[in-house]
Amino acid sequence: MDVLITPVGVADVDAVIELARQVWQQTYPGIISQEQIDYMLAQRYGRERLLAELGRPDVWWDKATVDGCLAGFSSCMTLAGGGEMKLDKLYVDSQRQRRGIGARLLEAVESHAYVAACQALILAVNKRNERAIAAYRRHGFVVRDSVCVDIGNGFVMDDFIMSRSLPATAAPW
């Protein structure tokens, strides 16, 4: 299995949107309603939004390909005031989970955090997404806070904010 991590480009946007849809459809039924899934996909994965994020200097998008096929992606951004980088999205095709692809994408996020001089990574994860919570814990993240986020359209997400400090030394990769 040849995994390659590279920046997401404009030509990748439609494939990223489709992979996000597949992951949300497979991961979130039973956690949130289908209406919430549809709303989140429309809000977070619109083509115009993704293209705008790709043009921002404080947002990084990476993709993982396996033997030339899109297998996952991540996005991260520095937070106002600096010091922390938010892992905004990290999704891996359900057929390729547990093969180290998520870890490789997380390593790319860490390398962006070092370049941006961040001391910590943070993320939000739905409290009912036990699989994701366990995966992040394996990578050293701890629950820092519990929040209810009004995402609009009458929907509220019940999330954990998880964080992980980064060592002061440069990343080994």
Side-chain angles (χ1 to χ4, degrees):
M1 180 172 79
D2 184 26
V3 178
L4 182 63
I5 307 296
T6 57
V8 169
V10 172
D12 302 311
V13 168
D14 291 333
V16 165
I17 291 168
E18 178 57 24
L19 181 57
R21 187 192 62 73
Q22 289 175 14
V23 169
W24 275 79
Q25 295 293 348
Q26 294 167 0
T27 302
Y28 286 95
I31 294 177
I32 60 177
S33 71
Q34 184 61 49
E35 291 83 10
Q36 282 177 293
I37 292 169
D38 293 342
Y39 181 77
M40 287 297 290
L41 288 169
Q43 293 301 307
R44 298 196 72 194
Y45 295 98
R47 193 173 210 299
E48 296 78 24
R49 178 178 176 158
L50 267 62
L51 289 170
E53 285 185 9
L54 288 177
R56 288 179 44 186
D58 61 335
V59 177
W60 293 265
W61 278 82
D62 292 300
K63 63 180 176 178
T65 55
V66 175
D67 301 326
C69 297
L70 182 65
F73 66 89
S74 63
S75 74
C76 59
M77 63 190 68
T78 54
L79 295 179
E84 291 185 324
M85 178 161 287
K86 180 181 181 195
L87 172 58
D88 192 40
K89 302 169 183 76
L90 193 157
Y91 298 116
V92 175
D93 179 346
S94 62
Q95 302 301 313
R96 298 193 173 171
Q97 291 179 354
R98 300 182 186 189
R99 295 188 182 160
I101 296 167
R104 295 279 304 276
L105 285 165
L106 188 55
E107 287 173 359
V109 169
E110 290 172 0
S111 69
H112 298 310
Y114 283 107
V115 168
C118 294
Q119 294 82 42
L121 295 176
I122 67 165
L123 59 92
V125 62
N126 189 285
K127 289 180 183 178
R128 294 179 59 203
N129 193 340
E130 295 171 9
R131 187 174 179 174
I133 293 166
Y136 287 122
R137 283 190 169 138
R138 282 192 302 275
H139 289 281
F141 285 84
V142 296
V143 173
R144 178 165 103 179
D145 202 356
S146 175
V147 297
C148 288
V149 180
D150 182 349
I151 62 171
N153 205 37
F155 299 123
V156 175
M157 299 293 278
D158 195 14
D159 291 345
F160 284 129
I161 303 299
M162 299 182 79
S163 66
R164 185 180 100 192
S165 296
L166 295 171
T169 59
W173 43 88

